[in-house]
Amino acid sequence: MTRHRIVFSLLAVFYSMWSWAQQEMLVKGTVSDKQGAFSGVSVNVAGTVTSTVTDAQGAYTIRISSSNAELIFSAVGYVTQQVVVGTSKTIDVTLEEEMSSLDEVVVVGYGEVRKKDLTGAVSSVKGSDLAERKTTTLSASLQGAVPGLMVRRDNNAPGASAGSMHIRGVTTIGDSAPLVIIDGVPGSIDHVNPNDVESISVLKDAASASIYGSRAAAGVILVTTKRGNRSSLNLTYTGELGADIPTIQPKMVGVTRYLEMANELRYNDNPVGGFYQDYSADQVKNWISNHDADPNNYPLTDWRNLILDDYSLRQTHTIGVSGGNDKVRSKASLAYDDVDGLYGIRNFKRIMLRVNNDFTISDIIGASLDMNVRNARNQTPYYSPFSLLRQMPAIYAATWDDGRIAEGKSGGNPYGLLQMGGDRDARSTQIGGRGVLDIKPFSGFKVSAIVSPYMNFSKSKAFRKKAFYTLATDPNAFGGWLEDNANPYSTTRLAEERNDDYNITSQLIANYIKSFGKHHVTAMIGYENYYQKWENLGASRDQYILDQYPYLNVGPEDYRDNSGDAQAYTYNSYFGRIIYSYADKYLVQINTRRDGSSRFHRDNRWGTFPSFSAGWVISEEQFVKNANLKELSFLKIRASWGKLGNERIGSYYPYMSLMTFGNALFYRNGELISDNTAAQRTLAVEDISWEKTESTDIGLDAAFFDNRLTITTDYYWKKTAGMLLSINIPGSVGQGISEMNAGEMSTKGFDLEIGWKDRKGDWSYGVNANLSDFLSKLDDMKDTRVISGNKLKESGVYFNEWYGYKNEGLFLTEEDVANSPKLNNQIRVGDIKYMDISGPDGVPDGIISAEYDRVPLGNSLPRFQYGGRVHAGYKNINLSMTFQGIGKQNVRLERQMVEPLRANFGNIPAIIDGHYWSPFNTNEENAAALYPRLTRSNIEANMAMSDYWMFNGRYFRLKNVTLGYTVPQRYTEKVKIHNLHVYASATDLFTVNKYPSGWDPEMGVSAYPITTTLVFGLSVNF
């Protein structure tokens, strides 16, 4: 009986296999392109993991299970083709190259347009190109990616955003940050995960940006996130592990040289005191050898290695789901970032969720429903160590020999403050949504109703703990309080903030597209309302006894404080656009927007911002075609003009007489009491209004060699009128400085972008490079003059131009000192010699003075910014490199880079050793000295702002290198994986520059270091 069952089972198995074999079939064929046989093409059976790759002759063979199967042919840079097998056993396919970059659709304000139809200055970058840079924030990834977009930073702390972004220079002495629009509504660029970005468009001229009216004077950045498409459901996971390594740090002299140079400095300032005024000859000679026997009195503290780790770890995990059909298309992503800092408890964590859904309800009605959530936490020690870390000499102890916290320098101990000084904890949550209802009542016409709410909740705790040191000789004896810049940590104090804001954007937009003959018209009209309200609450308590409980109710009520305020703001807007094209040769675009803002008085509340642009596609003209210029693929010239506005001009109610509330002490009946106060401190100006910017642009777009070479260039000039200035008013008025629309400034510049891409057999490669430059000049500041941070703002100078003395080298002889104008009576041989420019009568007066002898020293902003990307692929291997830099910038050597004994005790930068004027040098050595003598008595004169300390701060930085490999599907399909990509990436690899050794061109003198980031990752598609 058992034998019969076995035979029956075997027969059943053979029958099943025979039946399956009858259904299965082999399909073969060849794949080619216009150059011939095409190897390396992926051939997949739709809906399965079955796949193969064409061989060197372009041939393939693949097994399918049904004649209804569909084959998908795909290759990088080519249009994917899908073919239903049917009864064919041989299927040959010819792949066509993807459309040129000129045919790509570019996102513009409230719509899209083909790149070749643009008449304004718009630059776009793909989200995938930004994501490969592996930055935590989106703003940082834009550095060097877009011509005309200046992105600057001064640190690379966990979770840090770019320090500033400017489009085509500076448009006002106030806020010149661009407007950021995310999927059609205002937002924060760093609240978007770089991996969720489909594309970014930068609107640079008035023709493209005026559709955003009063908020667009500084340009607009449009972020478009990825959406679902019609495809089978797929799941992706991306995981990354990496490390951040400090690029470079400034070097200081060794202990022995520090002692010698400190003594030399005292000798220079007081020769009669002899050479060993601070440190004895024995200390100088034997400090290092004495350390082993007596480390408390002869410390050798390596502050940098004690405080900073060699590296910090980071990790990122992202899960995505996408897919859809004719009715529903969805894409969802969930990302988690965890980035450690280089010291203490510093850490940044972030969770981001984004869900985009599109619905086709009928032929007439469609809808979209999007949601995004971001939650971030930033933990840091209460104390930031970098300023004192780079200042502390090794001769001060961080810890005593038994490990207890030591005195440092009179309580200044950055290591001790990190260990004992408390912490900061900042958390925030953003929730946003977007709902769209589209109605298409007839062909070419669509009406969209959009509502987008956004909520932001943030809270922070700053828990500063009292920190002290004990005596080296007695662990139980109180030595003193640790301090930061003379501020002792003598009490435990908690300060908390709770901030929340809410805004909602409502839009109603109608679009109409119509073609008749050679005429093509696109018209758009819309309405937008924006409302925002936010409230801030702060509270604190001091003199805590229990320092383990950071809660307000634990602190004593006698030392409590609180604060709070609220503001609201709204605007209404009407806008429209007409785009006309004739025969794809003659292009015209007209935009206008009318804005009304609650910032201004009702009589000045509304402003109109029009623009006009036109383009001529010369390559479509018959005379060009008749010339048979085979190398020329496309040529277009364009021009634009328009007006833009800036409403971000200080307070939200500049035209109103606002009361300022506070507290003051009064005597009442002989008793001192505290009571509330209220006063109008600033004179209100009712007719204050928009700053208005007129912008003109002339551009050219060209393509050659079958669109493989593309060139885009623009020259522009823009002028801002009605710029807000602080105007002095008579003191008799009894109120403070007021602001009025009185100033003017202008900017001129150019943008250039060049790209090349090609494919040869299994190889594909491309190069993109951009260059831009601008000069922003203050044309009219009335009688206002602002000097801040050694930079000047006044009529006729560049924006934030350096301001100081002009130098004539160093004083080299006593005779020169005696016969030359001097800044003060402390000037000696070896100090900096300044030029006598003028005096009270307009001519040199023999005295160096700040009032008459300081002059503009040159533009402080970067010149000739450039960036680019190089990429190559061979079969399953891909490599990309990005770079960025500045061609010229007048930069000052900051005091922290070159000043000896800063604060009268600080370390001495190694770069000056052997290169400064010294009484122990020969005359020839002093004549070639790069730095003045060591001094404290005359340090302010030598460190005063002058062109002596200026140099060209140009630099080149290799921003990113990424190498990736896609595992062949013949291996991954065995474990049900559709695609497996592994990669390694390095960011901020190296820099070529003229900065002093140890200083990164982008690192602030007291900021977190710039770091090299190494990342290893994999991406899996199921």
Side-chain angles (χ1 to χ4, degrees):
M1 191 70 179
T2 302
R3 182 183 301 170
H4 290 299
R5 288 180 177 174
I6 293 175
V7 171
F8 179 78
S9 298
L10 288 173
L11 289 173
V13 170
F14 283 126
Y15 177 77
S16 298
M17 293 176 63
W18 178 82
S19 300
W20 174 255
Q22 296 306 305
Q23 296 177 22
E24 274 197 334
M25 58 184 293
L26 285 175
V27 177
K28 61 182 180 179
T30 58
V31 180
S32 60
D33 64 1
K34 65 181 181 180
Q35 297 179 358
F38 197 167
S39 63
V41 177
S42 296
V43 185
N44 302 280
V45 180
T48 74
V49 296
T50 303
S51 64
T52 188
V53 178
T54 58
D55 61 20
Q57 287 72 44
Y60 73 92
T61 302
I62 193 168
R63 188 179 298 276
I64 63 172
S65 60
S66 168
S67 60
N68 294 323
E70 188 176 35
L71 297 183
I72 301 174
F73 300 85
S74 60
V76 176
Y78 288 78
V79 178
T80 299
Q81 287 198 31
Q82 295 180 245
V83 180
V84 177
V85 174
T87 59
S88 302
K89 293 185 179 181
T90 300
I91 298 178
D92 298 329
V93 172
T94 300
L95 292 184
E96 297 180 357
E97 291 188 33
E98 289 181 342
M99 61 181 178
S100 72
S101 60
L102 295 170
D103 290 313
E104 292 177 357
V105 173
V106 177
V107 177
V108 295
Y110 304 102
E112 297 176 336
V113 64
R114 290 184 305 176
K115 188 174 182 178
K116 68 180 183 181
D117 293 337
L118 283 173
T119 52
V122 180
S123 291
S124 62
V125 59
K126 295 179 180 178
S128 57
D129 293 345
L130 298 176
E132 72 181 13
R133 298 187 176 209
K134 305 305 174 188
T135 60
T136 306
T137 56
L138 184 56
S139 61
S141 70
L142 284 170
Q143 192 174 36
V146 178
L149 175 62
M150 179 173 65
V151 180
R152 293 188 287 180
R153 57 177 178 168
D154 67 357
N155 72 88
N156 202 27
S161 302
S164 65
M165 292 192 299
H166 293 87
I167 296 174
R168 288 187 166 181
V170 180
T171 56
T172 175
I173 62 173
D175 188 353
S176 284
L179 172 68
V180 176
I181 302 292
I182 302 169
D183 288 336
V185 295
S188 172
I189 192 168
D190 286 327
H191 290 174
V192 180
N193 184 345
N195 293 298
D196 285 339
V197 175
E198 180 68 29
S199 67
I200 288 182
S201 295
V202 180
L203 314 184
K204 299 185 289 187
D205 70 336
S208 56
S210 68
I211 199 70
Y212 291 103
S214 64
R215 298 170 296 152
V220 184
I221 297 176
L222 304 180
V223 181
T224 302
T225 61
K226 297 176 181 177
R227 311 194 69 84
N229 52 32
R230 294 176 177 84
S231 65
S232 57
L233 198 65
N234 68 82
L235 171 69
T236 60
Y237 165 77
T238 300
E240 296 176 352
L241 296 176
D244 293 332
I245 306 168
T247 52
I248 49 177
Q249 287 292 293
K251 296 179 181 179
M252 303 296 163
V253 297
V255 169
T256 302
R257 278 302 286 153
Y258 174 82
L259 301 176
E260 293 173 343
M261 294 172 73
N263 278 339
E264 181 179 342
L265 183 148
R266 302 304 182 199
Y267 174 79
N268 288 342
D269 287 345
N270 181 30
V272 298
F275 188 75
Y276 297 102
Q277 296 183 37
D278 270 4
Y279 304 99
S280 68
D282 179 72
Q283 287 177 311
V284 174
K285 181 179 179 181
N286 298 313
W287 189 286
I288 295 176
S289 59
N290 290 341
H291 167 75
D292 292 336
D294 191 0
N296 289 340
N297 288 312
Y298 294 90
L300 289 176
T301 305
D302 188 340
W303 291 97
R304 185 183 307 157
N305 287 337
L306 186 65
I307 292 175
L308 291 185
D309 296 327
D310 293 332
Y311 63 90
S312 61
L313 298 178
R314 60 164 56 214
Q315 58 178 314
T316 298
H317 304 276
T318 305
I319 296 176
V321 179
S322 65
N325 51 37
D326 292 339
K327 295 296 183 180
V328 180
R329 298 165 300 285
S330 299
K331 182 172 181 59
S333 69
L334 177 65
Y336 171 74
D337 295 286
D338 187 347
V339 184
D340 287 331
L342 291 168
Y343 64 93
I345 60 170
R346 184 144 197 174
N347 175 264
F348 174 76
K349 290 184 174 69
R350 181 181 67 183
I351 297 174
M352 303 181 80
L353 171 68
R354 182 172 295 273
V355 181
N356 290 346
N357 301 289
D358 297 303
F359 307 95
T360 301
I361 299 170
S362 68
D363 293 340
I364 297 176
I365 300 175
S368 298
L369 189 61
D370 305 338
M371 181 189 71
N372 60 86
V373 179
R374 176 185 181 270
N375 178 267
R377 182 182 186 185
N378 198 352
Q379 292 178 287
T380 67
Y382 186 90
Y383 170 73
S384 177
F386 291 104
S387 179
L388 200 52
L389 164 66
R390 293 166 184 151
Q391 182 179 352
M392 288 294 290
I395 65 169
Y396 297 104
T399 60
W400 302 129
D401 57 0
D402 58 2
R404 288 178 293 116
I405 297 298
E407 179 183 3
K409 167 59 178 170
S410 304
N413 184 341
Y415 176 76
L417 289 174
L418 284 177
Q419 298 300 312
M420 303 176 63
D423 60 84
R424 302 175 188 267
D425 191 355
R427 308 178 189 223
S428 65
T429 300
Q430 295 81 33
I431 303 173
R434 178 174 172 268
V436 182
L437 178 64
D438 294 325
I439 300 177
K440 303 176 183 177
F442 55 87
S443 177
F445 183 72
K446 181 175 73 172
V447 177
S448 300
I450 303 160
V451 61
S452 178
Y454 172 86
M455 292 170 285
N456 175 44
F457 309 96
S458 65
K459 63 178 183 178
S460 65
K461 292 186 180 221
F463 197 37
R464 187 201 66 196
K465 298 182 180 181
K466 58 185 178 181
F468 61 91
Y469 62 92
T470 54
L471 297 179
T473 55
D474 186 353
N476 298 313
F478 175 79
W481 299 111
L482 299 183
E483 61 181 44
D484 175 21
N485 196 25
N487 296 312
Y489 281 43
S490 57
T491 63
T492 296
R493 181 179 185 272
L494 173 66
E496 292 198 36
E497 291 185 357
R498 297 286 191 275
N499 305 317
D500 63 82
D501 68 83
Y502 162 84
N503 68 65
I504 185 166
T505 304
S506 304
Q507 300 169 344
L508 183 64
I509 303 171
N511 281 279
Y512 181 66
I513 301 175
K514 179 67 175 178
S515 295
F516 44 96
K518 295 182 178 181
H519 304 273
H520 184 80
V521 177
T522 300
M524 183 271 293
I525 189 170
Y527 165 79
E528 180 173 288
N529 170 262
Y530 179 86
Y531 174 80
Q532 183 177 25
K533 181 179 180 180
W534 57 98
E535 294 187 11
N536 306 312
L537 175 66
S540 66
R541 290 196 180 185
D542 205 344
Q543 306 285 350
Y544 274 67
I545 304 238
L546 301 174
D547 64 0
Q548 300 301 315
Y549 300 94
Y551 302 100
L552 287 171
N553 67 311
V554 180
E557 294 186 2
D558 292 340
Y559 299 94
R560 63 183 177 183
D561 193 11
N562 58 72
S563 63
D565 66 345
Q567 290 180 319
Y569 157 71
T570 187
Y571 67 78
N572 286 319
S573 303
Y574 303 90
F575 50 88
R577 173 172 59 221
I578 296 177
I579 302 175
Y580 170 75
S581 169
Y582 175 75
D584 287 337
K585 288 190 292 187
Y586 309 115
L587 314 170
V588 176
Q589 179 174 323
I590 301 173
N591 302 277
T592 189
R593 181 169 179 129
R594 185 160 175 80
D595 279 329
S597 173
S598 64
R599 288 178 184 259
F600 307 115
H601 187 270
R602 65 171 61 91
D603 295 336
N604 303 288
R605 184 159 292 170
W606 289 90
T608 302
F609 306 95
S611 71
F612 173 84
S613 60
W616 177 26
V617 184
I618 301 174
S619 55
E620 289 296 315
E621 293 289 356
Q622 193 60 46
F623 67 85
V624 176
K625 295 180 179 180
N626 292 340
N628 198 24
L629 302 174
K630 295 182 179 179
E631 295 81 4
L632 180 65
S633 306
F634 182 81
L635 179 62
K636 177 179 67 178
I637 57 173
R638 48 187 166 76
S640 68
W641 172 90
K643 281 187 177 181
L644 302 168
N646 177 33
E647 61 160 5
R648 295 170 292 180
I649 54 173
S651 75
Y652 282 87
Y653 317 104
Y655 69 95
M656 297 179 67
S657 300
L658 300 179
M659 302 298 290
T660 301
F661 296 92
N663 291 280
L665 296 175
F666 298 92
Y667 278 101
R668 181 178 297 169
N669 299 324
E671 181 182 358
L672 188 66
I673 64 169
S674 175
D675 206 346
N676 294 329
T677 63
Q680 181 184 343
R681 300 188 181 275
T682 303
L683 181 67
V685 180
E686 282 194 359
D687 62 353
I688 196 169
S689 186
W690 326 87
E691 296 180 344
K692 297 179 177 66
T693 299
E694 286 193 24
S695 173
T696 305
D697 182 282
I698 299 173
L700 179 144
D701 302 318
F704 304 89
F705 309 111
D706 291 331
N707 295 309
R708 287 177 291 175
L709 173 64
T710 56
I711 300 174
T712 297
T713 184
D714 290 84
Y715 178 76
Y716 61 89
W717 59 97
K718 52 186 179 179
K719 188 176 187 66
T720 299
M723 188 169 61
L724 208 66
L725 298 179
S726 297
I727 304 298
N728 291 318
I729 57 178
S732 58
V733 176
Q735 296 178 349
I737 294 175
S738 183
E739 294 181 316
M740 303 178 68
N741 298 106
E744 294 182 359
M745 75 177 298
S746 59
T747 297
K748 296 180 181 180
F750 72 86
D751 299 333
L752 173 66
E753 186 171 18
I754 300 175
W756 173 273
K757 65 177 182 179
D758 200 3
R759 182 184 184 94
K760 299 291 184 182
D762 294 330
W763 285 94
S764 62
Y765 66 96
V767 179
N768 289 88
N770 64 76
L771 173 68
S772 60
D773 187 36
F774 69 88
L775 286 171
S776 295
K777 191 173 184 179
L778 296 166
D779 299 320
D780 188 0
M781 291 278 287
K782 301 306 178 187
D783 294 324
T784 301
R785 193 183 211 212
V786 180
I787 302 173
S788 176
N790 297 314
K791 295 174 183 176
L792 173 68
K793 299 185 186 76
E794 72 173 357
S795 300
V797 304
Y798 294 117
F799 174 82
N800 268 355
E801 184 161 354
W802 289 112
Y803 185 65
Y805 302 100
K806 295 187 75 66
N807 87 94
E808 295 183 293
L810 300 178
F811 285 105
L812 297 179
T813 65
E814 293 289 353
E815 182 182 9
D816 195 15
V817 173
N819 297 324
S820 300
K822 295 180 286 294
L823 188 59
N824 59 52
N825 292 327
Q826 299 296 321
I827 300 295
R828 300 289 183 268
V829 176
D831 289 331
I832 298 176
K833 180 180 180 181
Y834 299 123
M835 293 178 61
D836 185 10
I837 302 295
S838 186
D841 298 326
V843 295
D845 59 353
I847 300 173
I848 304 298
S849 65
E851 183 177 1
Y852 297 109
D853 295 311
R854 289 189 297 172
V855 295
L857 297 175
N859 184 20
S860 68
L861 295 179
R863 301 287 310 277
F864 307 111
Q865 301 167 80
Y866 60 88
R869 177 175 181 266
V870 180
H871 60 93
Y874 177 74
K875 293 187 177 180
N876 291 1
I877 302 174
N878 63 281
L879 173 69
S880 67
M881 294 183 291
T882 58
F883 60 89
Q884 171 265 336
I886 291 171
K888 178 184 177 182
Q889 184 174 13
N890 295 318
V891 174
R892 184 201 174 170
L893 277 173
E894 298 290 346
R895 296 182 64 157
Q896 293 88 336
M897 298 177 178
V898 294
E899 183 179 350
L901 260 67
R902 188 156 46 99
N904 211 28
F905 77 91
N907 223 328
I908 300 176
I911 62 168
I912 73 171
D913 189 16
H915 302 287
Y916 61 88
W917 186 98
S918 172
F920 307 103
N921 287 347
T922 66
N923 290 336
E924 291 76 13
E925 288 173 331
N926 280 335
L930 299 177
Y931 303 100
R933 69 185 177 109
L934 305 178
T935 179
R936 292 306 303 171
S937 64
N938 199 42
I939 191 65
E940 296 305 320
N942 283 339
M943 289 291 126
M945 178 61 201
S946 73
D947 58 358
Y948 188 89
W949 299 111
M950 293 177 63
F951 69 101
N952 189 346
R954 66 177 182 263
Y955 70 87
F956 167 89
R957 186 186 295 280
L958 184 59
K959 289 292 295 182
N960 178 268
V961 176
T962 298
L963 177 65
Y965 176 72
T966 301
V967 179
Q969 287 187 332
R970 62 179 179 273
Y971 301 123
T972 60
E973 67 180 4
K974 296 178 181 179
V975 289
K976 306 300 183 183
I977 293 176
H978 179 66
N979 183 278
L980 174 60
H981 184 70
V982 294
Y983 55 89
S985 176
T987 302
D988 291 324
L989 271 175
F990 70 84
T991 305
V992 179
N993 63 82
K994 286 190 172 185
Y995 274 71
S997 176
W999 289 96
D1000 190 285
E1002 295 184 279
M1003 183 176 73
V1005 291
S1006 60
Y1008 192 96
I1010 301 297
T1011 58
T1012 294
T1013 301
L1014 304 178
V1015 171
F1016 298 92
L1018 63 85
S1019 180
V1020 186
N1021 191 332
F1022 298 94

